[in-house]
Amino acid sequence: MEKETDIENCKKVLLGEFEPVISAKNLTKTFGHFTAVDSISFDVAKGEIFGFLGANGAGKTTAMRMLCGLLKPTSGKGKVAGYDIEKQSEQVKKNIGYMSQKFSLSEDLRVWENIRLYAGIYGVHEREIAPRTDELLRQLGFESEKNSLVKSLPLGWKQKLAFSVSIFHNPKIVFLDEPTGGVDPAARRQFWELIYQAADRGITVFVTTHYMDEAEYCNRVCILVDGRIEAIDLPRNLKEQFNVKSMDEVFQQMARKATRKAD
Amino acid sequence: MSVIESKNLSKNYFSAKSGKFAGIGLRLSGDPKSPSGDLGDGLCFEVDKGEIYGIIGPDGAGKTTLFRILTTLLLPDSGTATVDGFDVVKDFKKIRSRVGYMPGRFSLYQDLTVEENLKVFASIFNTTIEENYHLIKDIYQHIEPFKTRRAGALSGGMKQKLALSCALIHKPSVLFLDEPTTGVDPVSRKEFWEMLKKLKSEGITILVSTPYMDEASLCDRIALIQNGEFLTIDSPQNIVNKFNKILWSVHSNNMSKLLNDLRSHAGVGVCYAFGDTHHITVVDEKLTINTLSDFLQEKDHKDVVISKIEATVEDCFMELAIPKN
Amino acid sequence: MKFFNRWHEKQPEKPIRMRQFIVFTQKEFKHIFRDRWTTLILLVLPILMIILFGFGINTEIKNTKFAVYDPSHDVATQGIVNKLLTSEYFTLSEFVNTPNEIENIFKEKGIGLVVVFSEKFYENLLHTGDAQVQLITDGTDPNTASILTAYASNLIFSYQQDLISAQDIPYQIKPEIKLLYNPTLKGVYSTVPGIIGVILILICAMMTSISIAREKEQGTMEILLVSPMKPIVLILAKVVPFFCISIVNLVTILLLSVFVLEVPIVGSLFLLILVSLLYIFVALSIGLLISSVVDKQMVALLISGMALMLPFVYLSGMMFPIESMPIVLQWISNIIPAKWFIIAMRNIMIKGLGFSSIVKEVAILSFMALFFIMLSLKKFKLRLE
């Protein structure tokens, strides 16, 4: 019953109604004798918030780098935004946004300079930049901070700004690498609301994290253990399946199977 | 309560309580000369011996500054604080020989092996690994198989265990752990908290800071901190009990739209996302779960699930922090 | 509980301090030798520098062609030409007949030096003491030019020494010496003290400041401060490894210059080592001073690498003679420790002078060492900022 409810998009993916924006088929990456990512397959639908979870060294970052076109897979296929991750990595890069833990903002630049910089990197039309910068700052309520240096902003604001910048060029997919460490609860919620809004606009959000309370916010999560997908489902279903209250407990049970301790 | 009164209080704490450490009237940030009618500027708290005391708040709240003052690395602009009965300014040398400190960043020598790191830290604290091995045995044995590996090549969880071993090797009476679980995966975090409980049972007082609200319940007492001020100090259970509003969790098939719809309802106080549900406080006492459910279904929400819930520390933090905005 | 307190109250005894120091020093050595680049810079760079500098200068100078304009054709001019020929630095290309030819033969025949004698050279030398010899070199390459003239001058000077001993008429020669002697004394001989001066500052000041800045950057400094370890133990333990490596370098450089570059150590080896040790102290204390004001390795590198190295190279007299600098720079050069070190080293190593000749330099260096050590100890912070 629960499985059929929840997110419309997931249903569509499960029923194969439209082509997924991210799809991985037996994606594998080995470094020497070490298999970092071991034949993972999954699909992510348009507008979905997809959580990619795992302990340190479970292979999250390697998998994400392959999807972003930064690493060549050893074997397997992957498609992102309709482009082959191995052969069309340039096209892939044009269609994705990326935000990392460190927010990838230049601390010594002003807010508007940062926006301009990223808009420039992603080839946003010169004419559009100024009005859209104002529009963005208005939405965030940052108008008064337009000329502030980024380093003077509180962490929560930086995070919101970094996310907004990463989707300024309207990518099809945005990859968030461990995005919300250490911000206060209120700022964190504002951040997730921004993510929801982006998803409403049809941007697919791919989040890696090892904080399980973050995972609760995702539409669907995929749990990686030792480079393999151990579970992929809605958070509710997983909690139900393990008969626990939180994703943290789900994860504790799953991660116990891990053998890769000393990575 | 003014800064002067809190100085009086500090004397009371000092003599009346056998508190391991009492920090009174610390001004954490800003210009000491700035006119501060706001009495919240000073931090007042005391920690009992053998307690796990959590300083919980977001980055930039002042946790690290507080820790650095208490470990004598920084001078307070005003106010006084004592650790183990010694003043952090006047008796800083005595404090330095009896506290263990694990700074926020991974601060070990990456190019030295596990064993070499431990040896270096033992010797700077005038002791040897052999002398106090029993203290760190439980923690160190997790990483002992890798003792010839360089610290830089350890996983996050193992680095953290090594850092804790190094902080413990000189048998400190108070342990300061500044965000020890940041960047550590859930399994290692859990193990870490279990270790802290064990240390507590050996009588070591532990002051630990974390930005993660879900770790609050693992402390004996917590101080919620934001912008250099304490929001509240109490046991986690008491903090949750003090939450005096009606709290519901709401779920539907369209969570993004649900936020706006709930906020438009007059009977809803605050509404915020909380994992896979939204939490709302109910201000209209006549509002029932059924009427709200009907209201949402009218707005095209399907699969609406509403339930009354107990607050968590995170809810309390939100509630306490909101009036300040 | 009581026991607990006593355990803490117990004042650390001397052996404990010693153990702290030993363990910490070992740790420093490990940092150095586990990082390939650090090891390379510390041990191989000095060798490379001395060989490049030394041979670079040597090969350029050897077998330089020279021409002679000699209107006198007497014993003395013949003697000087022979003297030049016996050295490995010069080969004779030709005699020119008129002064007008001189400019052309530089361009056409690749000649490095032209020796122009005055008329009646020997006669003048014996009677009026006003014999003139002109050394013409290609000024477009001032370094080579000055080295060539220095060599030639030395050779001419040594010919005159021969003359003095043979004919026993010293008083008449004196003016000649002044005329011909090149006071800057350039060449591979005088470069060696300069290289030692720069290498020691590089290793001591740069590496010490970087290694302390690293502790701050990686956060270990916080733990060290929150420990009962005395700052002096920390500082000594930081400094000792670089002190040892500096001595290894000093020995390598001296061995290389004596056996490979064939630069003799004329004066007392004991004095030479004494002055070097003093200079190492100065360099180490500068490193400590930098590290006490700097929190980042990058800044430490920039300060010691750029702000320190440049004046040490350019204003110390290693590359350019101080006498020919603008007066302001001459004044500034007085606060560059390398200047005094180089003067002292040249006096001992090249000129073979005794302690009395370097009293001033030793005094200045001692004062500098004391000043920097006091300042850096005073600046060493017991807390964060």
Side-chain angles (χ1 to χ4, degrees):
Chain A
M1 162 76 184
E2 282 280 290
K3 263 182 189 124
E4 285 166 33
T5 62
D6 240 288
I7 313 304
E8 293 285 311
N9 286 334
C10 300
K11 238 186 331 192
K12 286 184 185 164
V13 175
L14 297 174
L15 300 173
E17 273 179 34
F18 62 74
E19 203 185 339
V21 246
I22 302 176
S23 89
K25 294 239 159 39
N26 302 322
L27 212 52
T28 303
K29 182 73 192 178
T30 56
F31 297 105
H33 294 292
F34 178 71
T35 309
V37 172
D38 191 357
S39 187
I40 58 170
S41 305
F42 62 90
D43 291 319
V44 183
K46 188 176 182 220
E48 195 177 5
I49 302 173
F50 188 78
F52 206 60
L53 320 177
N56 293 327
K60 295 191 301 274
T61 311
T62 309
M64 199 177 71
R65 284 188 182 152
M66 285 194 283
L67 292 175
C68 292
L70 298 174
L71 262 184
K72 279 203 187 297
T74 310
S75 66
K77 282 248 167 286
K79 268 194 164 183
V80 169
Y83 298 104
D84 188 285
I85 55 167
E86 203 176 340
K87 292 177 196 124
Q88 297 166 294
S89 63
E90 288 312 307
Q91 291 299 319
V92 168
K93 284 176 195 169
K94 276 184 194 154
N95 284 284
I96 59 173
Y98 178 83
M99 171 190 162
S100 79
Q101 226 163 2
K102 302 213 169 78
F103 305 155
S104 38
L105 292 175
S106 305
E107 297 262 309
D108 293 325
L109 291 184
R110 297 177 197 291
V111 169
W112 71 269
E113 289 169 333
N114 260 292
I115 299 175
R116 231 207 103 77
L117 174 66
Y118 281 84
I121 290 172
Y122 281 99
V124 177
H125 235 279
E126 200 67 24
R127 278 193 311 268
E128 288 176 37
I129 295 177
R132 281 187 54 201
T133 300
D134 291 337
E135 169 69 11
L136 173 74
L137 293 176
R138 199 182 51 74
Q139 280 170 2
L140 293 174
F142 280 10
E143 290 112 318
S144 56
E145 304 293 334
K146 185 176 175 180
N147 288 315
S148 309
L149 289 178
V150 163
K151 63 180 168 197
S152 70
L153 298 179
L155 191 70
W157 291 36
K158 278 189 210 169
Q159 193 178 49
K160 282 192 274 182
L161 183 65
F163 178 72
S164 305
V165 164
S166 70
I167 58 168
F168 194 76
H169 60 297
N170 284 318
K172 294 201 171 103
I173 300 144
V174 61
F175 288 91
L176 308 179
D177 192 7
E178 315 245 345
T180 68
V183 301
D184 69 83
R188 193 157 156 213
R189 277 167 180 106
Q190 289 165 2
F191 181 68
W192 275 101
E193 283 179 30
L194 277 184
I195 294 180
Y196 284 158
Q197 284 164 17
D200 282 349
R201 277 163 52 196
I203 296 176
T204 304
V205 184
F206 187 98
V207 195
T208 71
T209 182
H210 57 230
Y211 291 109
M212 292 306 131
D213 47 350
E214 294 282 279
E216 311 262 4
Y217 291 82
C218 299
N219 298 147
R220 212 150 53 100
V221 295
C222 158
I223 298 182
L224 220 57
V225 176
D226 290 351
R228 279 188 298 274
I229 292 180
E230 206 55 46
I232 180 163
D233 211 333
L234 313 177
R236 329 204 100 198
N237 293 350
L238 288 174
K239 286 187 271 186
E240 218 166 74
Q241 188 189 329
F242 285 88
N243 195 24
V244 291
K245 281 200 188 105
S246 69
M247 277 304 295
D248 192 53
E249 290 164 271
V250 172
F251 189 80
Q252 297 285 352
Q253 296 199 15
M254 293 232 158
R256 256 172 227 158
K257 298 176 192 164
T259 51
R260 231 187 246 174
K261 274 229 149 167
D263 54 282
Chain B
M1 186 174 68
S2 73
V3 177
I4 296 165
E5 277 174 16
S6 68
K7 269 190 179 164
N8 289 336
L9 273 175
S10 95
K11 281 182 182 162
N12 288 341
Y13 285 140
F14 208 158
S15 52
K17 288 228 175 188
S18 63
K20 261 295 166 193
F21 111 140
I24 309 301
L26 293 174
R27 188 198 298 269
L28 277 185
S29 57
D31 182 5
K33 283 160 219 127
S34 71
S36 61
D38 186 3
L39 303 176
D41 262 8
L43 293 182
C44 302
F45 70 115
E46 24 106 39
V47 179
D48 291 329
K49 183 173 155 46
E51 199 173 18
I52 298 183
Y53 198 98
I55 305 288
I56 297 180
D59 285 1
K63 301 190 297 289
T64 299
T65 312
L66 175 63
F67 273 59
R68 285 181 173 169
I69 292 174
L70 295 174
T71 50
T72 76
L73 284 171
L74 281 182
L75 295 172
D77 292 333
S78 65
T80 58
T82 60
V83 174
D84 222 4
F86 295 101
D87 187 277
V88 291
V89 179
K90 280 177 270 166
D91 301 322
F92 73 98
K93 280 191 180 150
K94 291 201 171 115
I95 292 177
R96 287 182 181 190
S97 65
R98 66 187 62 216
V99 300
Y101 175 42
M102 202 171 132
R105 297 170 289 167
F106 171 68
S107 20
L108 296 170
Y109 299 104
Q110 312 263 356
D111 53 346
L112 298 187
T113 66
V114 168
E115 200 178 21
E116 286 165 350
N117 263 294
L118 198 57
K119 193 178 164 194
V120 165
F121 284 103
S123 77
I124 64 168
F125 282 98
N126 300 334
T127 182
T128 57
I129 300 177
E130 296 74 34
E131 194 175 341
N132 286 323
Y133 184 76
H134 62 278
L135 259 175
I136 58 161
K137 193 178 151 214
D138 288 338
I139 301 157
Y140 188 58
Q141 67 192 10
H142 289 272
I143 45 174
E144 210 162 10
F146 311 103
K147 66 181 180 186
T148 55
R149 188 182 289 198
R150 294 198 186 169
L154 295 176
S155 71
M158 297 206 307
K159 278 180 184 172
Q160 183 202 37
K161 280 171 199 154
L162 175 58
L164 184 62
S165 303
C166 291
L168 273 175
I169 189 68
H170 61 292
K171 213 180 195 174
S173 50
V174 190
L175 197 54
F176 291 93
L177 309 172
D178 192 10
E179 297 203 12
T181 54
T182 298
V184 176
D185 67 68
V187 179
S188 303
R189 269 165 84 189
K190 199 166 186 190
E191 282 176 6
F192 192 77
W193 278 97
E194 276 157 16
M195 288 170 200
L196 295 192
K197 271 188 194 152
K198 220 164 196 175
L199 292 173
K200 179 200 159 171
S201 69
E202 284 168 37
I204 296 178
T205 308
I206 299 168
L207 191 75
V208 56
S209 76
T210 174
Y212 303 108
M213 304 288 154
D214 53 345
E215 294 182 341
S217 58
L218 302 164
C219 304
D220 296 321
R221 264 199 305 166
I222 53 176
L224 301 183
I225 187 173
Q226 192 176 35
N227 299 329
E229 292 170 28
F230 285 148
L231 301 172
T232 185
I233 298 178
D234 215 327
S235 69
Q237 193 53 49
N238 283 346
I239 286 178
V240 167
N241 290 346
K242 274 193 277 183
F243 190 86
N244 54 8
K245 300 217 166 122
I246 303 162
L247 194 68
W248 291 353
S249 83
V250 188
H251 177 85
S252 86
N253 65 334
N254 189 340
M255 297 299 282
S256 180
K257 184 169 178 293
L258 184 65
L259 267 178
N260 295 328
D261 290 338
L262 285 169
R263 279 171 186 164
S264 71
H265 193 284
V268 174
V270 288
C271 164
Y272 46 86
F274 204 100
D276 61 353
T277 63
H278 296 330
H279 284 187
I280 57 169
T281 58
V282 182
V283 287
D284 181 359
E285 282 172 20
K286 285 174 212 138
L287 186 69
T288 65
I289 287 178
N290 282 337
T291 51
L292 185 66
S293 179
D294 291 344
F295 167 81
L296 290 174
Q297 267 159 17
E298 263 171 44
K299 298 239 173 199
D300 284 341
H301 287 280
K302 290 176 191 137
D303 318 312
V304 176
V305 184
I306 305 176
S307 45
K308 190 175 186 308
I309 49 162
E310 287 285 310
T312 63
V313 172
E314 192 159 357
D315 290 304
C316 299
F317 192 101
M318 300 271 294
E319 178 65 21
L320 292 163
I322 278 167
K324 300 255 160 39
N325 291 335
Chain C
M1 187 61 205
K2 226 175 190 175
F3 166 77
F4 218 54
N5 274 341
R6 252 213 342 258
W7 186 82
H8 280 298
E9 292 305 334
K10 195 172 66 181
Q11 276 304 308
E13 297 144 19
K14 263 200 179 143
I16 290 175
R17 288 251 177 279
M18 202 55 218
R19 225 183 66 82
Q20 276 184 346
F21 173 72
I22 290 167
V23 172
F24 214 82
T25 311
Q26 283 172 350
K27 157 189 158 310
E28 292 304 322
F29 272 114
K30 281 174 192 160
H31 286 321
I32 294 167
F33 291 116
R34 280 187 190 171
D35 184 52
R36 241 180 328 140
W37 285 108
T38 313
T39 321
L40 219 61
I41 288 174
L42 287 177
L43 295 178
V44 182
L45 189 71
I47 296 174
L48 271 177
M49 261 173 101
I50 193 92
I51 287 176
L52 284 178
F53 265 90
F55 276 117
I57 292 161
N58 254 356
T59 47
E60 236 174 281
I61 303 305
K62 268 182 191 168
N63 303 320
T64 303
K65 285 197 265 181
F66 76 102
V68 178
Y69 173 64
D70 183 7
S72 340
H73 275 294
D74 55 36
V75 195
T77 59
Q78 204 56 53
I80 289 172
V81 171
N82 282 340
K83 196 83 190 175
L84 291 177
L85 280 174
T86 51
S87 84
E88 56 184 340
Y89 304 119
F90 299 104
T91 51
L92 181 63
S93 169
E94 62 189 284
F95 284 91
V96 292
N97 299 321
T98 63
N100 299 338
E101 287 175 49
I102 291 172
E103 199 170 329
N104 288 333
I105 61 170
F106 267 109
K107 290 174 195 154
E108 286 163 13
K109 301 199 172 141
I111 277 170
L113 176 81
V114 178
V115 183
V116 179
F117 293 101
S118 61
E119 287 185 23
K120 296 178 186 169
F121 187 82
Y122 186 59
E123 253 182 82
N124 287 342
L125 183 66
L126 287 178
H127 300 116
T128 65
D130 192 25
Q132 283 181 0
V133 59
Q134 201 178 7
L135 299 171
I136 303 174
T137 52
D138 181 1
T140 52
D141 182 359
N143 269 339
T144 314
S146 69
I147 291 161
L148 285 175
T149 47
Y151 284 159
S153 306
N154 276 344
L155 290 166
I156 293 168
F157 176 63
S158 94
Y159 169 75
Q160 283 166 343
Q161 297 290 349
D162 296 346
L163 222 58
I164 297 166
S165 52
Q167 309 203 349
D168 199 27
I169 39 168
Y171 54 94
Q172 280 169 316
I173 302 293
K174 268 183 185 163
E176 303 292 333
I177 301 165
K178 244 187 181 169
L179 233 170
L180 300 173
Y181 184 71
N182 176 356
T184 57
L185 194 75
K186 277 281 171 188
V188 66
Y189 283 20
S190 47
T191 316
V192 169
I195 295 173
I196 298 177
V198 169
I199 287 173
L200 291 182
I201 206 79
L202 186 83
I203 284 158
C204 299
M206 188 159 105
M207 289 306 186
T208 312
S209 61
I210 287 177
S211 97
I212 294 184
R214 186 167 69 166
E215 300 265 358
K216 292 185 186 175
E217 210 172 302
Q218 68 189 3
T220 38
M221 197 55 148
E222 280 182 55
I223 302 184
L224 298 182
L225 288 177
V226 183
S227 78
M229 190 160 84
K230 291 230 179 234
I232 189 72
V233 178
L234 169 72
I235 288 175
L236 280 179
K238 279 276 171 201
V239 154
V240 162
F242 295 112
F243 183 77
C244 296
I245 288 170
S246 307
I247 290 180
V248 171
N249 283 322
L250 181 67
V251 172
T252 345
I253 295 172
L254 288 178
L255 287 176
L256 279 174
S257 32
V258 171
F259 292 106
V260 181
L261 301 179
E262 292 168 359
V263 178
I265 298 175
V266 183
S268 140
L269 192 63
F270 171 76
L271 267 185
L272 188 140
I273 287 173
L274 186 84
V275 172
S276 304
L277 287 183
L278 189 57
Y279 182 67
I280 290 173
F281 276 121
V282 177
L284 286 173
S285 50
I286 291 176
L288 283 177
L289 190 64
I290 294 173
S291 65
S292 65
V293 273
V294 157
D295 286 338
K296 297 230 155 57
Q297 293 181 71
M298 196 62 194
V299 186
L301 182 76
L302 283 176
I303 291 189
S304 47
M306 301 293 288
L308 210 60
M309 279 294 275
L310 288 181
F312 268 67
V313 170
Y314 291 107
L315 297 180
S316 63
M318 172 197 175
M319 296 195 46
F320 309 112
I322 291 170
E323 293 85 347
S324 56
M325 286 177 193
I327 196 78
V328 181
L329 291 185
Q330 285 194 33
W331 186 81
I332 294 173
S333 75
N334 286 332
I335 57 168
I336 311 272
K339 173 189 169 176
W340 306 106
F341 173 70
I342 291 173
I343 293 175
M345 285 292 272
R346 281 178 185 165
N347 282 351
I348 302 165
M349 214 172 146
I350 316 290
K351 297 186 185 162
L353 301 174
F355 183 72
S356 57
S357 72
I358 55 163
V359 171
K360 182 178 155 203
E361 285 75 23
V362 168
I364 290 172
L365 286 175
S366 310
F367 171 77
M368 282 176 167
L370 205 66
F371 175 76
F372 285 126
I373 286 176
M374 295 303 272
L375 197 62
S376 53
L377 284 182
K378 199 163 174 269
K379 283 256 170 186
F380 189 85
K381 288 172 200 121
L382 287 169
R383 299 176 200 270
L384 302 171
E385 300 222 295

